Amino acid sequence: MERAQGGRAQGERANEYDASCARCGGPVPAGAGVLRHGAKAWEVYHPEHAPEPGPPPPGDHPGWHRRRLLALDIGSTGYRPAVDRIRSAALRGSDGTAYDWIVDPGSDIPSSDVGSDARGEMGSSIRDLDGSNLPDIGSDIPPTALPPHRALDELATLVAAHLAAKELLVVWFAPYVLTTLHAELLRHGLAPLTERVPAGVAPVCDPLVLDRHVDRYRPGRRSLRSVAEWYGVPHARPGDPGSDAEAVLLVAQAVTARHPALARLSRPALHTEQVLWYAEQTSRHPGAPAWPFAPVEPLPWEPPPES
């Protein structure tokens, strides 16, 4: 990195107060050090002692991240789970499983999708929760599009079977994806996951919640694209459900490979802890949706309000 006066890289933050170097313990006068986000708080270093920004190295410890995982992602017409429609969906498994659906929501629904990397407004919270912008990814309905009841039933059947086996379902910002899926299943007269999995829609793994928990002080956005880049996870086509599902799966594994305390949790315990972590993370967002989903009733289609 190009170093500015005082040994800091251009744009790096300096310490406002006198402190001690987190590496050598020596004194660091105010304005002379470099700030780095640590596991629990900001840390101050002499410029020559500051570690390069990046996640900790992965370990080879055992844990749930080495079990069979299944990642779910959707592309939809917007961010209103009770109103908007699923236009595409994908499942990706750590065992190589891959399913993709393109859904024809009807001629009265506009032909545009928004995927995981563009989570936007839901109430007033999603933009703040994952740092996303609101781009739309255009998608004309191809001739291979399936009727909603068929595609959604196939998707829900596979997801329910995975959950019934007590294996983790990996979903980026689960409250949006699972709530939208719940509403869509009801809309088309299909059994929701709550009926297909009597023991409950669990266990769920939300890598956005995990990343915010283990690295709460990291500056910058928490969109899927940004988090994948931070962990060195390839993400070829942000916004495409198949590419997003692949990236979400790898991010879940990457976070856990770097944090043994996460890996040691049982699958039920991981689900329960995320409920608590999410509540803490959204405490300043009173409109935040419930985690991992809210059992909303579907509402009729209406165009989104003007920005």
Side-chain angles (χ1 to χ4, degrees), residues 142-155:
T144 55
L146 296 175
H149 68 274
R150 176 181 167 187
L152 294 169
D153 191 47
E154 290 178 358
L155 171 62

Side-chain angles (χ1 to χ4, degrees), residues 70-75 86 88-92 99-101 103 146 148-163 169 177-178 180-182 184-185 190-191 193 196:
L70 185 68
L72 163 66
D73 194 76
I74 64 172
I86 293 176
S88 54
L91 292 174
R92 293 293 186 270
Y99 294 93
D100 295 274
W101 294 268
V103 186
L146 296 175
H149 68 274
R150 176 181 167 187
L152 294 169
D153 191 47
E154 290 178 358
L155 171 62
T157 297
L158 291 167
V159 169
H162 183 78
L163 291 174
L169 178 69
V177 175
L178 295 182
T180 303
L181 177 59
H182 180 87
E184 278 281 68
L185 290 169
L190 299 169
L193 292 179
R196 296 171 189 248

Side-chain angles (χ1 to χ4, degrees), residues 22 42 46 51 74 86-87 95 113-114 163 202 250-251 256 264 269 292:
W42 285 98
H46 290 115
I74 64 172
I86 293 176
R87 293 289 314 279
D95 60 356
D113 282 6
V114 286
L163 291 174
L250 293 174
V251 167
T256 312
R264 287 194 293 268

Side-chain angles (χ1 to χ4, degrees), residues 282-303:
T282 59
S283 60
R284 297 184 181 181
H285 302 276
W291 193 95
F293 82 105
V296 300
E297 291 293 325
L299 297 175
W301 167 259
E302 61 180 28

Side-chain angles (χ1 to χ4, degrees), residues 219-304:
R221 299 176 64 216
R222 299 289 177 125
S223 65
L224 175 57
R225 185 186 319 209
S226 298
V227 175
E229 182 179 0
W230 176 255
Y231 288 101
V233 167
H235 191 194
R237 300 180 307 282
D240 172 77
S243 181
D244 287 350
E246 292 173 6
V248 168
L249 183 66
L250 293 174
V251 167
Q253 293 171 324
V255 174
T256 312
R258 288 163 171 81
H259 297 278
L262 273 183
R264 287 194 293 268
L265 292 171
S266 68
R267 284 159 287 156
L270 178 69
H271 184 99
T272 301
E273 290 293 338
Q274 286 174 101
V275 174
L276 303 176
W277 298 338
Y278 177 81
E280 180 184 7
Q281 294 163 10
T282 59
S283 60
R284 297 184 181 181
H285 302 276
W291 193 95
F293 82 105
V296 300
E297 291 293 325
L299 297 175
W301 167 259
E302 61 180 28

Side-chain angles (χ1 to χ4, degrees), residues 85-176:
R85 311 301 168 84
I86 293 176
R87 293 289 314 279
S88 54
L91 292 174
R92 293 293 186 270
S94 56
D95 60 356
T97 297
Y99 294 93
D100 295 274
W101 294 268
I102 300 173
V103 186
D104 182 355
S107 59
D108 60 332
I109 308 297
S111 59
S112 62
D113 282 6
V114 286
S116 278
D117 200 57
R119 297 287 188 247
E121 296 285 354
M122 182 186 300
S124 61
S125 61
I126 290 185
R127 185 200 304 269
D128 296 325
L129 290 175
D130 72 357
S132 293
N133 295 321
L134 296 172
D136 281 357
I137 301 170
S139 176
D140 294 333
I141 300 174
T144 55
L146 296 175
H149 68 274
R150 176 181 167 187
L152 294 169
D153 191 47
E154 290 178 358
L155 171 62
T157 297
L158 291 167
V159 169
H162 183 78
L163 291 174
K166 304 299 182 182
E167 299 292 353
L168 283 161
L169 178 69
V170 183
V171 191
W172 182 265
F173 198 67
Y176 165 73

